[in-house]
Amino acid sequence: ITLLQSDIIWEDKNQNFTRLERFMREIAEGTDMVILPEMFNTGFSMNPENLFEDPRSVTEEWLRRMALQYNIGICGSYIVREDEKYYNRWLFIAPEGRVGMYDKRHLFSPGNEHAFFSRGRKRIIFNYRELRICPNICYDLRFPVWSRCRNDYDLLINSANWPQSRRDVWITLLRARAIENQCYVAGVNRVGIDGTGISYCGDSLIIGPKGEIIASGKQNSECIVSADISVEQLRDFRCKFPVLEDGDAFTLDV
Protein backbone atom coordinates (compact mmCIF):
# COMPACT_ATOMS: atom_id res chain seq x y z
CA ILE A 1 0.00 0.00 0.00
CA THR A 2 1.25 3.50 -0.80
CA LEU A 3 -0.18 6.74 0.60
CA LEU A 4 0.50 10.02 -1.20
CA GLN A 5 0.63 12.72 1.47
CA SER A 6 0.51 15.83 -0.69
CA ASP A 7 -0.23 19.51 -0.52
CA ILE A 8 -3.28 20.47 -2.62
CA ILE A 9 -3.42 23.56 -4.80
CA TRP A 10 -6.70 25.29 -4.02
CA GLU A 11 -9.38 24.57 -6.64
CA ASP A 12 -6.87 23.90 -9.43
CA LYS A 13 -7.34 20.42 -10.85
CA ASN A 14 -4.67 20.55 -13.54
CA GLN A 15 -1.94 21.70 -11.14
CA ASN A 16 -2.89 18.98 -8.70
CA PHE A 17 -2.82 16.29 -11.37
CA THR A 18 0.65 17.48 -12.38
CA ARG A 19 1.93 17.44 -8.78
CA LEU A 20 0.53 13.98 -8.16
CA GLU A 21 2.06 12.62 -11.35
CA ARG A 22 5.48 13.61 -10.01
CA PHE A 23 4.72 11.56 -6.90
CA MET A 24 3.53 8.64 -9.01
CA ARG A 25 6.90 8.43 -10.75
CA GLU A 26 8.52 7.88 -7.35
CA ILE A 27 6.31 5.10 -5.98
CA ALA A 28 8.04 1.86 -5.14
CA GLU A 29 7.98 -0.93 -7.68
CA GLY A 30 5.57 -3.63 -6.60
CA THR A 31 3.01 -1.29 -5.07
CA ASP A 32 -0.51 -2.69 -5.51
CA MET A 33 -2.49 0.32 -4.32
CA VAL A 34 -2.08 4.11 -4.14
CA ILE A 35 -4.37 6.10 -1.84
CA LEU A 36 -4.95 9.85 -2.26
CA PRO A 37 -6.47 12.37 0.19
CA GLU A 38 -10.04 13.64 0.25
CA MET A 39 -10.86 16.05 -2.61
CA PHE A 40 -7.33 15.51 -3.86
CA ASN A 41 -7.86 17.60 -6.99
CA THR A 42 -9.38 20.76 -5.43
CA GLY A 43 -8.95 20.80 -1.66
CA PHE A 44 -11.91 20.64 0.74
CA SER A 45 -13.96 23.25 -1.10
CA MET A 46 -17.58 24.22 -0.51
CA ASN A 47 -17.77 25.46 -4.09
CA PRO A 48 -19.27 22.43 -5.84
CA GLU A 49 -21.28 24.37 -8.39
CA ASN A 50 -18.04 25.53 -10.04
CA LEU A 51 -15.90 22.43 -9.42
CA PHE A 52 -18.25 19.49 -9.97
CA GLU A 53 -17.79 16.82 -12.60
CA ASP A 54 -20.25 14.43 -14.08
CA PRO A 55 -19.52 10.74 -13.48
CA ARG A 56 -16.79 9.30 -15.74
CA SER A 57 -15.36 12.72 -16.47
CA VAL A 58 -11.90 14.34 -16.19
CA THR A 59 -10.84 13.06 -12.77
CA GLU A 60 -12.04 9.52 -13.32
CA GLU A 61 -10.18 9.44 -16.61
CA TRP A 62 -7.02 10.67 -14.89
CA LEU A 63 -7.35 7.94 -12.24
CA ARG A 64 -7.91 5.38 -14.97
CA ARG A 65 -4.79 6.53 -16.80
CA MET A 66 -2.66 6.28 -13.65
CA ALA A 67 -4.03 2.80 -12.88
CA LEU A 68 -3.14 1.55 -16.33
CA GLN A 69 0.25 3.24 -16.50
CA TYR A 70 1.45 1.86 -13.16
CA ASN A 71 -0.65 -1.33 -12.95
CA ILE A 72 -2.13 -0.32 -9.61
CA GLY A 73 -5.40 0.37 -7.89
CA ILE A 74 -5.71 4.09 -7.17
CA CYS A 75 -8.32 5.92 -5.11
CA GLY A 76 -9.36 9.22 -3.56
CA SER A 77 -12.38 11.52 -3.40
CA TYR A 78 -13.55 14.45 -5.52
CA ILE A 79 -16.71 16.45 -6.29
CA VAL A 80 -19.33 14.78 -8.48
CA ARG A 81 -22.81 15.90 -9.58
CA GLU A 82 -25.40 13.22 -10.20
CA ASP A 83 -29.19 13.60 -10.44
CA GLU A 84 -28.78 17.33 -9.74
CA LYS A 85 -27.05 16.60 -6.40
CA TYR A 86 -23.43 17.10 -5.38
CA TYR A 87 -21.46 14.31 -3.72
CA ASN A 88 -18.05 14.01 -2.08
CA ARG A 89 -17.34 10.79 -3.98
CA TRP A 90 -14.52 8.35 -3.34
CA LEU A 91 -13.54 6.26 -6.31
CA PHE A 92 -11.27 3.24 -6.67
CA ILE A 93 -9.96 2.43 -10.14
CA ALA A 94 -8.02 -0.75 -10.92
CA PRO A 95 -6.09 -1.34 -14.16
CA GLU A 96 -9.03 -3.36 -15.46
CA GLY A 97 -11.50 -0.55 -14.67
CA ARG A 98 -13.76 0.84 -11.95
CA VAL A 99 -13.96 -1.33 -8.82
CA GLY A 100 -15.40 0.67 -5.93
CA MET A 101 -17.42 3.87 -5.45
CA TYR A 102 -18.48 5.43 -2.16
CA ASP A 103 -20.30 8.70 -1.39
CA LYS A 104 -19.35 10.30 1.93
CA ARG A 105 -21.94 9.43 4.54
CA HIS A 106 -21.11 11.81 7.38
CA LEU A 107 -20.92 15.36 6.08
CA PHE A 108 -18.88 17.77 8.19
CA SER A 109 -21.61 20.06 9.55
CA PRO A 110 -19.16 22.32 11.48
CA GLY A 111 -17.71 23.21 8.07
CA ASN A 112 -21.17 23.47 6.48
CA GLU A 113 -20.51 20.55 4.13
CA HIS A 114 -24.10 19.36 4.59
CA ALA A 115 -25.40 22.61 3.09
CA PHE A 116 -23.68 21.94 -0.25
CA PHE A 117 -23.44 18.16 -0.58
CA SER A 118 -25.82 15.21 -0.33
CA ARG A 119 -24.82 12.39 1.96
CA GLY A 120 -24.19 8.87 0.79
CA ARG A 121 -26.69 6.14 1.56
CA LYS A 122 -24.60 3.03 1.11
CA ARG A 123 -21.76 1.46 3.08
CA ILE A 124 -19.66 -0.51 0.62
CA ILE A 125 -17.11 -3.29 0.69
CA PHE A 126 -15.32 -4.47 -2.43
CA ASN A 127 -12.52 -6.85 -3.35
CA TYR A 128 -9.19 -5.99 -4.91
CA ARG A 129 -6.36 -8.51 -5.36
CA GLU A 130 -7.70 -10.83 -2.63
CA LEU A 131 -8.18 -7.91 -0.22
CA ARG A 132 -11.61 -6.90 1.10
CA ILE A 133 -11.75 -3.10 1.42
CA CYS A 134 -14.10 -0.72 3.23
CA PRO A 135 -13.69 2.99 2.34
CA ASN A 136 -14.40 6.01 4.56
CA ILE A 137 -13.89 9.71 3.98
CA CYS A 138 -12.48 12.00 6.70
CA TYR A 139 -15.33 12.82 9.15
CA ASP A 140 -16.67 9.24 8.81
CA LEU A 141 -13.81 8.28 11.11
CA ARG A 142 -15.71 9.65 14.12
CA PHE A 143 -18.65 7.26 13.64
CA PRO A 144 -17.53 3.70 14.42
CA VAL A 145 -20.88 2.01 13.85
CA TRP A 146 -20.70 2.92 10.16
CA SER A 147 -17.37 1.14 9.72
CA ARG A 148 -17.95 -1.71 12.17
CA CYS A 149 -16.34 -4.87 10.81
CA ARG A 150 -18.40 -8.03 11.02
CA ASN A 151 -15.54 -10.08 9.64
CA ASP A 152 -16.47 -8.76 6.20
CA TYR A 153 -13.39 -6.66 5.37
CA ASP A 154 -9.63 -6.61 5.89
CA LEU A 155 -8.61 -3.01 5.19
CA LEU A 156 -10.32 0.22 6.22
CA ILE A 157 -9.28 3.21 4.09
CA ASN A 158 -9.80 6.82 5.13
CA SER A 159 -9.02 9.61 2.66
CA ALA A 160 -9.02 12.89 4.58
CA ASN A 161 -8.49 16.61 4.84
CA TRP A 162 -8.07 16.51 8.64
CA PRO A 163 -7.01 19.84 10.23
CA GLN A 164 -3.81 20.16 12.21
CA SER A 165 -5.77 21.49 15.20
CA ARG A 166 -7.29 18.02 15.67
CA ARG A 167 -4.11 16.04 14.94
CA ASP A 168 -4.23 13.92 18.12
CA VAL A 169 -7.85 12.96 17.41
CA TRP A 170 -6.92 11.77 13.91
CA ILE A 171 -4.16 9.51 15.17
CA THR A 172 -6.20 8.17 18.09
CA LEU A 173 -9.28 7.36 16.03
CA LEU A 174 -7.30 5.62 13.28
CA ARG A 175 -5.68 3.34 15.85
CA ALA A 176 -9.03 2.76 17.58
CA ARG A 177 -10.70 1.68 14.32
CA ALA A 178 -7.86 -0.81 13.72
CA ILE A 179 -8.08 -2.30 17.21
CA GLU A 180 -11.86 -2.59 17.48
CA ASN A 181 -12.23 -4.03 13.97
CA GLN A 182 -9.11 -6.22 14.00
CA CYS A 183 -8.20 -4.83 10.60
CA TYR A 184 -5.55 -2.90 8.76
CA VAL A 185 -6.21 0.83 8.52
CA ALA A 186 -4.76 3.20 5.93
CA GLY A 187 -5.41 6.88 6.64
CA VAL A 188 -4.04 9.48 4.22
CA ASN A 189 -4.17 13.18 5.03
CA ARG A 190 -2.99 16.26 3.14
CA VAL A 191 -0.49 18.89 4.23
CA GLY A 192 -0.34 22.66 3.67
CA ILE A 193 -2.88 25.46 4.03
CA ASP A 194 -6.13 25.51 2.06
CA GLY A 195 -7.96 28.43 0.50
CA THR A 196 -9.87 29.14 3.71
CA GLY A 197 -6.71 29.34 5.83
CA ILE A 198 -7.02 25.91 7.50
CA SER A 199 -3.71 24.10 8.14
CA TYR A 200 -3.12 20.38 7.65
CA CYS A 201 -0.11 18.49 8.98
CA GLY A 202 -0.32 15.08 7.28
CA ASP A 203 0.39 12.27 9.75
CA SER A 204 -0.76 9.70 7.21
CA LEU A 205 -0.64 6.23 8.76
CA ILE A 206 -0.74 2.55 7.92
CA ILE A 207 -1.80 0.66 11.03
CA GLY A 208 -1.94 -3.04 11.88
CA PRO A 209 -4.85 -4.93 13.49
CA LYS A 210 -3.39 -4.61 17.00
CA GLY A 211 -3.22 -0.84 16.65
CA GLU A 212 0.49 -0.84 15.85
CA ILE A 213 1.78 1.83 13.50
CA ILE A 214 3.43 0.09 10.55
CA ALA A 215 4.35 3.22 8.58
CA SER A 216 3.80 6.93 9.10
CA GLY A 217 4.10 10.14 7.12
CA LYS A 218 6.17 13.11 8.14
CA GLN A 219 4.47 15.97 9.89
CA ASN A 220 3.97 19.10 7.75
CA SER A 221 5.80 17.65 4.76
CA GLU A 222 4.81 16.06 1.47
CA CYS A 223 5.91 12.43 1.35
CA ILE A 224 5.23 8.92 0.16
CA VAL A 225 4.29 6.34 2.79
CA SER A 226 4.47 2.65 1.86
CA ALA A 227 4.16 -0.67 3.68
CA ASP A 228 3.36 -4.30 3.04
CA ILE A 229 0.29 -5.86 4.63
CA SER A 230 -0.59 -9.56 4.80
CA VAL A 231 -4.11 -10.96 4.56
CA GLU A 232 -2.74 -14.33 5.69
CA GLN A 233 -1.29 -12.85 8.88
CA LEU A 234 -4.53 -10.96 9.53
CA ARG A 235 -6.61 -14.11 9.21
CA ASP A 236 -4.24 -15.96 11.52
CA PHE A 237 -4.54 -13.22 14.16
CA ARG A 238 -8.33 -13.17 13.92
CA CYS A 239 -8.40 -16.96 14.27
CA LYS A 240 -6.17 -16.97 17.37
CA PHE A 241 -7.98 -14.03 18.98
CA PRO A 242 -11.57 -14.16 17.62
CA VAL A 243 -12.93 -10.91 19.03
CA LEU A 244 -15.18 -10.26 16.04
CA GLU A 245 -17.19 -13.39 16.78
CA ASP A 246 -18.42 -11.82 20.03
CA GLY A 247 -19.66 -8.62 18.39
CA ASP A 248 -23.26 -7.46 18.55
CA ALA A 249 -25.67 -7.98 15.68
CA PHE A 250 -27.31 -4.81 14.36
CA THR A 251 -28.72 -3.17 11.27
CA LEU A 252 -28.02 0.30 9.91
CA ASP A 253 -30.81 2.75 9.23
CA VAL A 254 -29.62 4.60 6.13
Side-chain angles (χ1 to χ4, degrees):
I1 299 176
T2 293
L3 315 180
L4 297 191
Q5 178 175 293
S6 63
D7 196 354
I8 302 175
I9 306 302
W10 187 247
E11 298 185 348
D12 193 324
K13 296 179 185 180
N14 288 331
Q15 281 200 56
N16 286 313
F17 292 151
T18 299
R19 291 170 66 87
L20 289 169
E21 285 172 23
R22 289 200 296 267
F23 274 105
M24 294 297 294
R25 290 193 287 269
E26 298 176 14
I27 61 173
E29 186 176 348
T31 289
D32 289 294
M33 183 189 310
V34 171
I35 307 173
L36 306 173
E38 178 183 25
M39 293 195 188
F40 65 88
N41 62 352
T42 61
F44 188 62
S45 173
M46 298 300 102
N47 186 21
E49 65 276 11
N50 292 322
L51 297 171
F52 79 88
E53 297 177 25
D54 295 322
R56 301 185 184 276
S57 189
V58 176
T59 299
E60 179 166 344
E61 289 307 311
W62 181 85
L63 290 168
R64 192 178 302 277
R65 181 161 57 87
M66 293 297 102
L68 284 170
Q69 183 174 342
Y70 294 97
N71 189 34
I72 54 165
I74 185 169
C75 54
S77 88
Y78 65 106
I79 300 170
V80 173
R81 185 177 72 174
E82 192 167 25
D83 298 326
E84 303 304 316
K85 296 179 180 179
Y86 300 116
Y87 295 95
N88 185 346
R89 178 165 292 175
W90 186 94
L91 196 62
F92 188 102
I93 300 290
E96 59 272 18
R98 180 193 290 233
V99 177
M101 184 188 80
Y102 167 70
D103 292 329
K104 188 176 182 180
R105 167 70 173 180
H106 300 94
L107 302 177
F108 187 57
S109 57
N112 221 26
E113 187 180 12
H114 66 297
F116 298 95
F117 293 86
S118 296
R119 71 175 183 168
R121 298 285 179 178
K122 187 177 181 181
R123 172 185 181 270
I124 74 159
I125 294 169
F126 64 93
N127 294 335
Y128 174 69
R129 296 185 181 176
E130 301 184 10
L131 192 67
R132 299 175 300 170
I133 299 170
C134 179
N136 278 190
I137 302 173
C138 203
Y139 193 45
D140 286 329
L141 188 62
R142 288 182 177 269
F143 303 92
V145 173
W146 185 244
S147 58
R148 181 61 174 162
C149 181
R150 284 168 277 183
N151 212 6
D152 54 357
Y153 70 81
D154 310 305
L155 171 66
L156 180 70
I157 291 176
N158 190 291
S159 294
N161 276 205
W162 197 282
Q164 183 172 7
S165 59
R166 293 184 286 278
R167 173 178 182 257
D168 289 346
V169 176
W170 164 253
I171 295 169
T172 300
L173 290 179
L174 286 174
R175 297 187 72 183
R177 296 295 85 82
I179 293 167
E180 71 195 10
N181 293 308
Q182 284 190 310
C183 69
Y184 290 105
V185 171
V188 59
N189 191 28
R190 66 162 293 181
V191 295
I193 301 174
D194 72 14
T196 68
I198 295 174
S199 297
Y200 304 87
C201 60
D203 291 300
S204 300
L205 296 171
I206 300 172
I207 301 171
K210 300 176 185 178
E212 73 277 22
I213 295 175
I214 300 172
S216 59
K218 299 175 183 177
Q219 191 175 351
N220 297 313
S221 178
E222 292 186 308
C223 61
I224 296 171
V225 183
S226 295
D228 293 327
I229 65 172
S230 168
V231 176
E232 183 178 342
Q233 290 179 14
L234 175 63
R235 290 172 181 165
D236 184 61
F237 172 56
R238 285 175 170 176
C239 182
K240 291 178 178 177
F241 192 53
V243 172
L244 298 179
E245 294 181 9
D246 295 324
D248 302 302
F250 63 88
T251 58
L252 288 169
D253 181 11
V254 297

